[in-house]
Amino acid sequence: MLKNKGKNLISKVILCAAICAQVVVPQTVFGATKKAVEKAGEAFVAALEEEADTEVIAGTENEVKNEKKDAEENKNTAGTENKNGEASDMENTSDPSESDRDETVMSEEELRQQIVDFALQFEGNPYVYGGTSLTNGADCSGFVMSVFAQFGYSLPRVAADQYYQSVKKNVADLEPGDLVFYGSGISHVALYIGNGQIIHASTSASGIKISNYDYETPAGVGTYIEADGFYSE
């Protein structure tokens, strides 16, 4: 009986051990497995985060490189445009001195002829003592003074001063644009127009007219064109 009880007890112990083995052991295994899974999951997540960080860093570096590249291209483009603009400005910029020379410089012969042609427009206009108007009336020195003023020359007001301040010439060397003076005290002046003729504000009766240069013996000949140069203003 005792032997059977012992056998039963052993059987119960074995059964209990089996049951415990089936209950306790699986829980232990499950706990270990859970920890392993959690550890693996954490490693997996860490790997994902590290990969994501790597991609972000790579993306940032690429963006920086692209921005630097764009900035360099913009700089080069701006430099090219600036150079082109400067070149364009240089091409469009003319030399003022060259422009002025084109407009103001002429040969002595051309200047002399222009002065003569201008003076001839006023033939027939009235003589007015003390006057300087080419249209409303001028005396001899006023007429000459106003004609030359159109070409940038400042002549004295009266005939005697015009003579004394001019460059003296011989009658044989007369050229269009020269001044011919008359009278013992230089009381009259005329503009030589070529071909032995002058234009002058003669008298109140005849006005501004053309005459032969030797209608009266010249007292002297002078010029302002050679004295002042060949530049009109």
Side-chain angles (χ1 to χ4, degrees):
M1 179 123 178
L2 289 173
K3 188 176 181 180
N4 291 332
K5 286 183 179 180
K7 288 182 178 179
N8 290 335
L9 180 61
I10 293 171
S11 298
K12 289 179 179 180
V13 171
I14 294 171
L15 177 61
C16 181
I19 294 171
C20 289
Q22 292 178 1
V23 173
V24 176
V25 174
Q27 288 179 349
T28 303
V29 173
F30 175 77
T33 303
K34 180 180 179 182
K35 290 181 179 180
V37 170
E38 289 177 349
K39 186 174 182 180
E42 290 174 355
F44 179 76
V45 171
L48 290 177
E49 290 178 347
E50 183 178 358
E51 183 178 357
D53 291 340
T54 303
E55 292 178 353
V56 170
I57 293 172
T60 303
E61 291 177 350
N62 289 334
E63 289 178 358
V64 171
K65 289 180 179 179
N66 290 335
E67 289 177 355
K68 288 183 178 180
K69 183 178 180 181
D70 292 340
E72 192 67 22
E73 291 177 353
N74 291 335
K75 182 179 179 180
N76 293 336
T77 301
T80 302
E81 292 177 353
N82 185 46
K83 289 180 180 179
N84 291 337
E86 290 177 355
S88 178
D89 290 342
M90 292 177 65
E91 291 174 357
N92 293 330
T93 302
S94 59
D95 184 353
S97 60
E98 291 180 358
S99 176
D100 292 341
R101 286 196 295 270
D102 290 340
E103 293 179 359
T104 61
V105 178
M106 62 184 74
S107 68
E108 177 185 353
E109 182 179 357
E110 290 172 336
L111 177 58
R112 288 177 177 277
Q113 191 58 51
Q114 285 194 17
I115 292 173
V116 169
D117 292 342
F118 180 76
L120 289 173
Q121 298 178 82
F122 307 105
E123 180 186 6
N125 286 352
Y127 171 97
V128 175
Y129 180 77
T132 59
S133 173
L134 296 173
T135 54
N136 296 325
D139 59 20
C140 63
S141 58
F143 172 70
V144 169
M145 182 187 72
S146 295
V147 167
F148 274 83
Q150 296 299 314
F151 296 86
Y153 293 91
S154 297
L155 271 62
R157 176 63 184 87
V158 298
D161 289 339
Q162 289 176 358
Y163 173 70
Y164 294 126
Q165 293 186 29
S166 67
V167 176
K168 309 305 183 294
K169 297 180 68 173
N170 293 324
V171 175
D173 297 326
L174 267 173
E175 297 176 89
D178 288 342
L179 301 181
V180 183
F181 297 92
Y182 303 89
S184 58
I186 309 297
S187 57
H188 190 67
V189 60
L191 176 67
Y192 186 70
I193 60 175
N195 297 321
Q197 294 183 314
I198 57 171
I199 183 170
H200 58 139
S202 180
T203 64
S204 56
S206 59
I208 297 173
K209 69 174 187 177
I210 294 175
S211 303
N212 291 329
Y213 86 96
D214 57 355
Y215 81 100
E216 187 177 314
T217 302
V221 173
T223 185
Y224 280 87
I225 297 175
E226 291 182 354
D228 287 356
F230 312 131
Y231 295 83
S232 62
E233 298 177 358

